[in-house]
Each structure stands twice: as C-alpha cells, then as structure tokens.
Amino acid sequence: MGLGKLIGGAVKVGVAAVAVAGVYTLFKDEIRETKTYKKANEKYDVDTKMEKATATVKNTVVDAAKTVSAMKEKWAPAEDEAVAEDEIILEESEADEREYVSLDTEAAPADPSDIVVE
C-alpha cells in the first residue's frame, strides 16, 4: 500500500468523524433530550466516548498534517543545485573506473537465414 493511499484513507476517516462530530455538536441539545440517547448514554457512556473520539480525530489530523509537511521539507528539491532528474552524479573515483562501450551504428543487418527456429 502506498503512502499516498494511507494518508488519503486517514484523511477520509478523519473528515467523516469530524462531520459526525459537527452534526452532533449542532444538534446535541435536541439529541440529548431524546429517550434513546438517555438510555444509550446510561448504558454506553456516549458523552465521554464522543469527547474522546473527537479529541483523537483532531490530534490525528494535526499529526498527519505535521507529517506531510515534514515529508515535503525532507523531499523538497535542492534549490542550490541545478541537477536534471535523469542526470547521474558519480564520485570522481567511480567515474574513473567506469568503462564505456562504443556502439557500432553502421553494423550490417543480421541475415534472416542465420536465424534458427526450433
């Protein structure tokens, strides 16, 4: 799984949780007055869990944003070096040891009768 998919998935989950928390915040007084909510809150302690989940989502989104900005800084291209993307930079010792092969561009084409098909 790529890092982009992981971050994208985390952002989607975070946005969904924040949307649910937003709806809950807008209508929390009306929701808290219902019998269903009162029963669920007594049985499952919904208020505490909702506050905990909201805090976790906020912290996760902030941490993800910090991670992304740190990655951008780490992988940002160097401004002082004008290096082409496809340019290979070798150390001097490596460049001296490098062997070159000349390509014969004027070689005769292969004779089709030399090709053996089994």
Side-chain angles (χ1 to χ4, degrees):
M1 177 186 287
L3 183 60
K5 288 184 179 182
L6 179 65
I7 292 174
V11 169
K12 287 178 185 178
V13 169
V15 169
V18 169
V20 169
V23 170
Y24 172 76
T25 302
L26 289 174
F27 299 106
K28 69 181 172 184
D29 293 334
E30 290 85 1
I31 293 171
R32 286 184 178 174
E33 295 301 319
T34 63
K35 289 181 183 180
T36 307
Y37 180 84
K38 289 178 183 178
K39 287 180 184 178
N41 193 30
E42 289 173 7
K43 187 173 182 180
Y44 300 111
D45 195 22
V46 176
D47 288 335
T48 306
K49 289 181 181 179
M50 190 60 140
E51 290 171 6
K52 185 178 177 182
T54 302
T56 302
V57 168
K58 285 180 183 178
N59 292 336
T60 304
V61 170
V62 169
D63 290 344
K66 287 179 183 176
T67 302
V68 168
S69 63
M71 289 172 60
K72 282 183 182 178
E73 290 175 11
K74 180 180 178 183
W75 294 102
E79 294 177 10
D80 59 341
E81 296 180 22
V83 179
E85 290 181 18
D86 60 345
E87 184 177 353
I88 299 172
I89 301 174
L90 299 174
E91 298 293 326
E92 285 186 32
S93 61
E94 293 174 339
D96 292 340
E97 295 173 8
R98 188 172 182 182
E99 296 180 15
Y100 291 92
V101 177
S102 63
L103 300 175
D104 187 10
T105 57
E106 298 178 12
D111 185 12
S113 62
D114 293 340
I115 300 173
V116 178
V117 179
E118 294 180 16

